Amino acid sequence: MTSSEHHSSADFIRTKILADQESQRFGQRVHTRFPPEPNGHLHIGHAKSMCLNFGISQEFSGFCNLRLDDTNPTKESMDYVQSIQDDVRWLGFDWTDRLYFASDYFERLYDYAVKLIQNNKAYVDSLTAEEIRDYRGTLTEPGKESPDRQRSLDENLELFSKMRAGEFEEGAYILRAKIDMASPNINMRDPALYRIRHVTHYRTGDIWRIYPTYDFAHPLSDALEGITHSLCTLEFEDHRPLYDWVLRECEVSCHSQQIEFARLNLAHTVMSKRKLLQLVEEGHVNGWDDPRLPTLKGLRRRGYSPAAIRNFCDRVGVAKRDSVIEMGVLEHAIREDLNRSADRVMAVLHPVKVIIENFPEGQIEEVEAVNNPEDASRGTRQLSFSREIYIDHDDFREDPPKKYFRLSPGKEVRLKYGYIICCVGVDKDETTGEITAIRCTYDSETKRGGAQAGRKVKGTIHWVSVQDALPAEVRVYETLLLPSNLDAEGTSQGLEAKLNPDSLQVLETCWVEPSLSDATIGTSFQFERQGYFCLDPDSHKQKLVFNRTVSLRDSWAKIERK
RNA sequence: UGGGGGAUCGUCUAAUGGUAGGACGUCAGAUUCUGGUUCUGAUUGUGGGGGUUCAACUCCUCCUCCCCCAGCCA
């Protein structure tokens, strides 16, 4: 199987891989890796990377490793490792037995560093962090060589060994690559390879006092795992010469090709770990799985399916230019999925009581409702119809605008799966003027199967029967941010100012049909005419809690806006 | 302003010298017991100036704009 069988035209990465296969650069081998650092939860940007790495490995009959890039012990934890594995699996990817940790390579990485020293390609520097910054030069001026650059081989070896043994304070020494302090590429001005950290690593404990940097550990981890194509985001573009330098100077047998692509940006939300953390810690959202967050846990709780997210990533494509994807693309992906899979159900979010005056008091009638018009095998269910029902506040207007097809005084509307009713009056609270009930009559011939069943009216609305409706809370979400994206100026202050104050709206007094009483947590439903909703873990017997995943497309809202 | 990247419909993304195509969105129509779905149609684009060529999104040249880099983070 090749990528060309899946894509009418391959993206630039698949094109490169095809060319590498053509030239036998890695034989026919294609081996990728998904390398998150276990210092936070995965988000939809990671989903793009997973779809790329796991997707490509599948298309080219290769492999994809899950690698935890845990070279910085100060921010990493086992909890994150577990969370990452859960999320990768949930998204639908399988690393089988290829689970790796950069920390498992620490010993071999150390040996490579020693080799570099022996080859006069690395040295131990005693400059402080500030001094190193000064010596580095600027974007336009070359750097200066550290006095320690000329340190003897034996002395370097001995100092490095003592660094490892924990004989020095943090910051006292650092191992640097000996490359070129005048390089126009700042990453090549003798970058750090190892730093001293007297910190317990969540996996290796206290056996290491020095830890390799990303620039040293990453290329070698790729080499050790036999990775052929190392996909990363654009900001690593000017690290590529260093990536190649490390592999060349360490004389490894497998030299992977680093390829950079543009990270995913979604409009009206944030993707950086720092900002996500800020939202959680400052309480702007309720935890990492808040349904407003673009984290995989948040999307999952919001009701997004793994298939929809994968499909979204496919649609978005992969390229090198910076881009911001509109929310509409994500929303389309989940609607497309849920339209096929979610059972339909009646729910009233903003209830108004309707009294059907000519319907006998105490009488209850069964009506048949279709579970999913897209899937006949989902069958039908019975709904009970009675004299008093709830309809949505939006479906009644005392003074209807033009093209309003719903209920208004003297006008008819069909109750979905039920009768055509006609509004004959309105009850109002004497003091507030608020509508307390809508009075209607029904046409008894218009039920499905009735003599007038075929009679057409402009509108059909949803409803629930007062007598057996279940109370529910519904949480309606809007975007996290008001503007479509943060500018470069997006500081911590800036983020707070751009938050959408109405990103969460809690509707406490909703009514849903009784069939929902045995719904399981996480299941998605279409509330007829409204949107897709899923049952939240906060639900309990007394009160069901639903999250709105996404609304239905609403062409009436568009007409009314004009 | 040193280096590295990038610029194609509103938004993503194809087309490597040969009809600028697809998706999302938008608009219009058809169907519909969901103003949903589905179907049909329409809409709009190669950052700018020169040049090469029968032919340029594509090659050359000049310009403009955007992003990334001066962590002992990744």
Side-chain angles (χ1 to χ4, degrees):
Chain A
M1 218 192 316
T2 67
S3 68
S4 54
E5 288 170 42
H6 291 277
H7 303 260
S8 53
S9 59
D11 55 64
F12 79 100
I13 295 177
R14 282 175 244 251
T15 303
K16 275 192 171 127
I17 294 176
L18 248 10
D20 286 341
Q21 283 194 322
E22 190 76 17
S23 70
Q24 296 284 316
R25 179 171 174 191
F26 302 101
Q28 289 302 292
R29 232 158 51 74
V30 174
H31 200 150
T32 57
R33 100 270 94 113
F34 171 61
E37 183 188 8
N39 70 344
H41 296 279
L42 263 26
H43 53 64
I44 194 165
H46 293 104
K48 175 178 180 178
S49 176
M50 284 188 261
C51 288
L52 257 181
N53 282 294
F54 282 101
I56 283 173
S57 74
Q58 281 161 20
E59 289 159 30
F60 290 88
S61 305
F63 299 104
C64 180
N65 297 354
L66 172 59
R67 177 161 80 227
L68 284 306
D69 203 359
D70 52 359
T71 58
N72 183 355
T74 59
K75 302 180 293 177
E76 299 157 0
S77 79
M78 210 55 188
D79 289 346
Y80 287 127
V81 171
Q82 191 52 248
S83 163
I84 287 168
Q85 292 191 66
D86 291 346
D87 286 346
V88 174
R89 248 191 296 262
W90 176 75
L91 230 210
F93 295 111
D94 184 6
W95 59 88
T96 63
D97 58 346
R98 284 182 295 279
L99 174 64
Y100 299 95
F101 293 84
S103 52
D104 283 341
Y105 308 139
F106 283 172
E107 193 62 49
R108 274 184 282 181
L109 260 22
Y110 180 83
D111 291 342
Y112 278 117
V114 169
K115 179 176 181 172
L116 248 25
I117 294 171
Q118 286 167 338
N119 290 341
N120 193 28
K121 293 295 179 183
Y123 61 100
V124 174
D125 199 344
S126 62
L127 253 31
T128 65
E130 302 81 75
E131 287 168 330
I132 285 183
R133 195 187 315 129
D134 289 343
Y135 275 70
R136 188 156 30 226
T138 68
L139 294 178
T140 52
E141 298 158 324
K144 291 181 301 193
E145 294 187 354
S146 165
D148 289 352
R149 207 174 198 259
Q150 302 310 322
R151 199 190 292 283
S152 75
L153 196 157
D154 287 342
E155 201 180 340
N156 276 323
L157 251 18
E158 190 188 334
L159 283 171
F160 189 48
S161 163
K162 285 181 174 172
M163 280 169 66
R164 173 179 182 162
E167 294 186 21
F168 306 123
E169 292 299 298
E170 284 189 13
Y173 290 101
I174 178 183
L175 184 73
R176 291 228 259 170
K178 191 182 284 190
I179 308 180
D180 178 9
M181 287 308 291
S183 171
N185 180 347
I186 290 178
N187 295 298
M188 299 299 270
R189 319 239 263 231
D190 290 10
L193 264 24
Y194 268 91
R195 69 287 218 196
I196 297 170
R197 285 282 178 279
H198 293 285
V199 173
T200 304
H201 187 283
Y202 77 99
R203 287 187 81 241
T204 59
D206 291 318
I207 65 176
W208 288 93
R209 286 356 268 172
I210 55 173
Y211 294 93
T213 58
Y214 166 88
D215 283 315
F216 186 62
H218 205 89
L220 291 170
S221 300
D222 284 343
L224 260 11
E225 291 173 23
I227 301 302
T228 57
H229 300 271
S230 183
L231 314 183
C232 62
T233 43
L234 250 28
E235 65 269 27
F236 294 104
E237 240 161 352
D238 30 299
H239 288 241
R240 184 163 12 105
L242 179 51
Y243 181 99
D244 291 331
W245 182 92
V246 169
L247 294 182
R248 192 169 58 247
E249 299 302 338
C250 289
E251 298 169 313
V252 297
S253 55
C254 173
H255 193 135
S256 161
Q257 175 65 54
Q258 174 176 306
I259 304 173
E260 311 85 10
F261 62 91
R263 60 166 67 250
L264 175 69
N265 292 299
L266 249 190
H268 302 291
T269 189
V270 295
M271 215 63 91
S272 88
K273 266 178 195 170
R274 204 197 92 240
K275 293 186 186 110
L276 254 14
L277 186 69
Q278 186 190 345
L279 291 175
V280 173
E281 286 188 336
E282 293 178 3
H284 300 297
V285 296
N286 308 311
W288 286 99
D289 65 344
D290 187 295
R292 289 167 288 183
L293 255 19
T295 53
L296 260 18
K297 286 174 175 24
L299 289 165
R300 177 182 190 170
R301 187 166 178 185
R302 175 80 171 252
Y304 273 84
S305 64
I309 293 173
R310 283 187 261 116
N311 191 268
F312 165 76
C313 291
D314 280 352
R315 282 168 186 275
V316 156
V318 53
K320 297 200 71 157
R321 94 168 87 163
D322 297 310
S323 61
V324 180
I325 312 308
E326 289 177 344
M327 270 295 179
V329 183
L330 221 207
E331 293 178 344
H332 177 263
I334 190 61
R335 286 194 188 107
E336 185 177 56
D337 184 2
L338 261 17
N339 177 49
R340 272 182 272 111
S341 65
D343 279 347
R344 265 112 257 222
V345 110
M346 301 265 242
V348 175
L349 270 39
H350 305 94
V352 183
K353 189 178 282 184
V354 170
I355 299 167
I356 300 162
E357 296 182 331
N358 59 342
F359 195 89
E361 237 165 297
Q363 182 173 315
I364 292 171
E365 239 179 72
E366 299 261 286
V367 300
E368 189 176 49
V370 175
N371 287 331
N372 187 341
E374 305 294 318
D375 182 359
S377 74
R378 296 299 301 167
T380 60
R381 67 190 184 287
Q382 297 299 122
L383 254 29
S384 63
F385 184 79
S386 60
R387 189 170 197 266
E388 296 194 350
I389 60 173
Y390 291 116
I391 68 167
D392 199 286
H393 185 262
D394 288 345
D395 287 336
F396 177 78
R397 291 288 176 83
E398 260 196 294
D399 190 16
K402 285 207 163 37
K403 290 186 179 170
Y404 187 78
F405 300 157
R406 284 108 103 143
L407 196 60
S408 55
K411 292 288 171 53
E412 283 187 323
V413 78
R414 176 177 288 281
L415 295 171
K416 179 101 180 168
Y417 303 124
Y419 299 97
I420 291 174
I421 56 171
C422 179
C423 174
V424 295
V426 180
D427 293 352
K428 288 183 183 174
D429 184 294
E430 283 172 17
T431 53
T432 65
E434 202 178 308
I435 294 172
T436 54
I438 298 165
R439 303 214 160 250
C440 292
T441 56
Y442 84 115
D443 180 342
S444 63
E445 302 297 302
T446 52
K447 193 166 86 165
R448 203 175 281 250
Q452 294 289 312
R455 187 150 77 82
K456 301 283 186 207
V457 284
K458 282 278 196 175
T460 299
I461 64 173
H462 59 279
W463 52 277
V464 292
S465 192
V466 169
Q467 128 278 150
D468 64 358
L470 266 24
E473 172 180 316
V474 175
R475 299 171 183 170
V476 175
Y477 304 100
E478 297 296 338
T479 59
L480 217 38
L481 302 185
L482 260 4
S484 69
N485 59 10
L486 274 354
D487 347 298
E489 251 51 46
T491 59
S492 305
Q493 285 299 324
L495 176 60
E496 200 163 343
K498 285 162 186 163
L499 290 175
N500 178 0
D502 302 317
S503 60
L504 167 62
Q505 194 191 348
V506 180
L507 274 22
E508 315 242 16
T509 53
C510 308
W511 296 101
V512 301
E513 65 167 74
S515 71
L516 252 10
S517 66
D518 50 4
T520 54
I521 304 297
T523 307
S524 288
F525 299 92
Q526 182 193 106
F527 288 2
E528 294 252 14
R529 302 206 309 133
Q530 302 178 86
Y532 297 98
F533 297 77
C534 71
L535 195 63
D536 189 84
D538 286 348
S539 291
H540 49 82
K541 284 203 182 70
Q542 282 68 40
K543 195 185 227 180
L544 296 168
V545 177
F546 290 93
N547 294 314
R548 187 175 77 180
T549 308
V550 66
S551 69
L552 249 32
R553 290 182 72 213
D554 187 353
S555 48
W556 164 243
K558 283 175 203 157
I559 294 169
E560 201 181 20
R561 240 179 275 135
K562 288 178 191 169

